[in-house]
Amino acid sequence: MKQKIVNNLFFKVFSYNSIVVLVKFVTAFVVSKVSAIFLGPSGYALVGNLKNILQGVLGVTSTGFQSGVIKYVAENKTDKRELKVVVSSVIFLCIIISCIVSVFVYVFSGSLSIYVLKEASYSIIFKWLALLLPLVSLSFLTVYLVNGLQKFKLYTFLVSLSNILNALITFILIYYYNLEGALFASILVPALNFLLGFIFKEIRDIYILFFRNYKYISIGFVKSISVYLMMAVYSSILISFSYLLVRNEIIESIDLFNAGLWESMNKVSSFYMVFFSSLFTLYLLPQLTVNETVTGYYSIMKNYFKYLIPFMILVFLILFLFRVFLIKIVLTEEFKSIEQFFLLQFFGDFIKIIAFSLAYQFHAKKMVKFYIISDFVLYVSFYVLSLYLLEYFSLVGVFYAYIVSTILYFLFVLIFVLNNNSKYLESHAK
């Protein structure tokens, strides 16, 4: 009976997640096609640089809250008082941190523009980012709160709305303003998405709860969730800077065009990775959070991989067989040469998905030390190997570096989880 319930939950999440992915795929197709036509590989590279900076900034202001918010909301969704503490505290913390970071982004907008976008004239992009950052951060935090409450239907609506809005606004801004429009779209979409989220009563209730219960803001809870924040900030900085540095190295070693080719391959990867990353947070993390036994952990992972691995193999096989068609549909003929990179990208992504699935135990049980070490291995090795292999194999060397770094990451995560689960979990249910 228990196994049947778990399976039903998995398929419920899978079904809603499939809707999210379908909408994401269609809207991402529109964004990619428009970007490919109007921006070309060179524009792709610069937009990728901005997105890496956004990733790092949002890691500090909101996305760093993801695992912690989902964990604490999932644990306390039936306890009204504790839920008030969680909601009030995380929204308050998000607003405060966003305002502080906004000041720094505004002050250093000129320097960021030169290093990231290669021109001082784009400093206006970073000034707008500074002004809109609190809204952008709250838009992500709202999704995490809904995720933790396991309101899968609302989650599907919110994420789908964001993707549709992204496609529409990006298309309009790129059509009229070219590269500058694409850069602005990256900032405007999440801010508008936060405001539009208030059409849903459940979202209004979350923020009404915050304003009515500000007295429940807890410094003790802030300290508790700060562990997750520190983990995610650390990871966001490693991700954003490693990819930014690698892309800039490609620009300097080869050219902006090849940096755009690499970014376009990352874009293709993001189409399907969004599905798997959603499974991590919608299904896997809540399950691992409430689990208290070693046997329970192995049961969860066995059930999860039983469905995940065959599905991954099928997805990658289909995409590989239709890769030429995919490039023509999603991109343009100008990106044709990325065909040679598909197999390498898929191999690295396959290993990364398996490793990330195992690594969510670090989030669920606050295994901070192992999280820090394993992420360091993944992103620093990727950067160092890219520098070395880029010199000998040109652009394909970056893909070799990606595969080696994911294998190293998988091995570290596997060793850490298997050797330390017994320290954080009971052997058997009490």
Side-chain angles (χ1 to χ4, degrees), residues 86-299:
V86 173
V87 172
S88 300
S89 299
V90 296
I91 293 177
F92 172 76
L93 187 60
C94 177
I95 293 172
I96 293 298
I97 295 176
S98 295
C99 290
I100 294 172
V101 174
S102 291
V103 173
F104 284 95
V105 173
Y106 194 92
V107 170
F108 294 102
S109 58
S111 299
L112 286 169
S113 179
I114 294 171
Y115 181 74
V116 177
L117 302 177
K118 311 306 177 185
E119 288 186 29
S121 60
Y122 288 126
S123 63
I124 187 65
I125 302 292
F126 291 98
K127 289 177 180 177
W128 273 104
L129 171 60
L131 293 173
L132 295 176
L133 187 57
L135 296 184
V136 174
S137 300
L138 287 171
S139 73
F140 285 93
L141 182 63
T142 301
V143 173
Y144 305 149
L145 289 168
V146 171
N147 190 342
L149 291 168
Q150 294 190 297
K151 294 180 179 291
F152 301 125
K153 192 172 183 179
L154 178 59
Y155 173 88
T156 303
F157 274 121
L158 284 175
V159 178
S160 298
L161 176 65
S162 176
N163 289 325
I164 292 170
L165 195 65
N166 181 49
L168 180 62
I169 292 177
T170 301
F171 173 77
I172 294 172
L173 291 180
I174 289 180
Y175 184 80
Y176 286 104
Y177 300 103
N178 209 274
L179 177 60
E180 190 172 6
L183 298 172
F184 266 115
S186 300
I187 301 164
L188 290 175
V189 171
L192 289 174
N193 190 58
F194 170 69
L195 298 175
L196 287 175
F198 283 91
I199 65 177
F200 300 104
K201 182 180 181 298
E202 293 96 330
I203 302 302
R204 296 196 299 272
D205 288 343
I206 287 174
Y207 286 92
I208 289 172
L209 183 70
F210 167 68
F211 285 111
R212 287 182 177 175
N213 299 282
Y214 61 88
K215 63 183 179 182
Y216 284 95
I217 294 172
S218 167
I219 300 301
F221 176 78
V222 169
K223 290 180 180 179
S224 180
I225 200 172
S226 65
V227 174
Y228 289 98
L229 180 59
M230 182 273 292
M231 290 167 68
V233 167
Y234 171 77
S235 183
S236 293
I237 290 174
L238 281 177
I239 296 169
S240 57
F241 278 96
S242 63
Y243 275 71
L244 178 64
L245 291 171
V246 167
R247 193 180 295 102
N248 279 345
E249 186 63 29
I250 296 172
I251 293 172
E252 293 176 11
S253 299
I254 310 176
D255 54 33
L256 191 59
F257 181 87
N258 274 271
L261 294 179
W262 179 61
E263 180 60 27
S264 67
M265 194 66 248
N266 289 331
K267 174 63 73 175
V268 171
S269 173
S270 71
F271 287 171
Y272 51 81
M273 287 297 282
V274 66
F275 177 86
F276 299 111
S277 62
S278 297
L279 272 183
F280 299 154
T281 53
L282 278 173
Y283 174 78
L284 190 58
L285 181 58
Q287 292 286 309
L288 294 175
T289 296
V290 299
N291 174 62
E292 297 179 350
T293 67
V294 174
T295 53
Y297 171 79
Y298 288 120
S299 177

Side-chain angles (χ1 to χ4, degrees), residues 287-392:
Q287 292 286 309
L288 294 175
T289 296
V290 299
N291 174 62
E292 297 179 350
T293 67
V294 174
T295 53
Y297 171 79
Y298 288 120
S299 177
I300 291 169
M301 298 310 295
K302 180 181 178 182
N303 183 72
Y304 173 78
F305 284 127
K306 180 172 67 176
Y307 298 110
L308 180 72
I309 291 177
F311 182 74
M312 278 198 296
I313 293 172
L314 179 63
V315 168
F316 288 141
L317 180 61
I318 292 172
L319 291 175
F320 181 75
L321 291 175
F322 292 94
R323 63 192 183 280
V324 176
F325 178 74
L326 185 65
I327 294 170
K328 290 180 180 179
I329 294 296
V330 177
L331 301 166
T332 64
E333 284 292 328
E334 199 173 5
F335 294 83
K336 186 179 179 180
S337 59
I338 70 168
E339 176 191 348
Q340 61 185 303
F341 305 131
F342 268 68
L343 187 60
L344 297 173
Q345 183 71 40
F346 290 164
F347 189 68
D349 284 343
F350 184 89
I351 299 168
K352 181 191 269 187
I353 292 168
I354 298 296
F356 273 10
S357 299
L358 295 172
Y360 260 78
Q361 180 71 339
F362 300 158
H363 295 268
K365 301 306 174 186
K366 291 187 180 180
M367 301 167 74
V368 180
K369 179 175 68 174
F370 307 117
Y371 177 89
I372 289 174
I373 295 172
S374 57
D375 264 32
F376 182 86
V377 169
L378 175 60
Y379 296 111
V380 173
S381 66
F382 172 58
Y383 171 63
V384 172
L385 288 168
S386 292
L387 294 183
Y388 178 76
L389 296 176
L390 188 61
E391 182 180 350
Y392 288 95

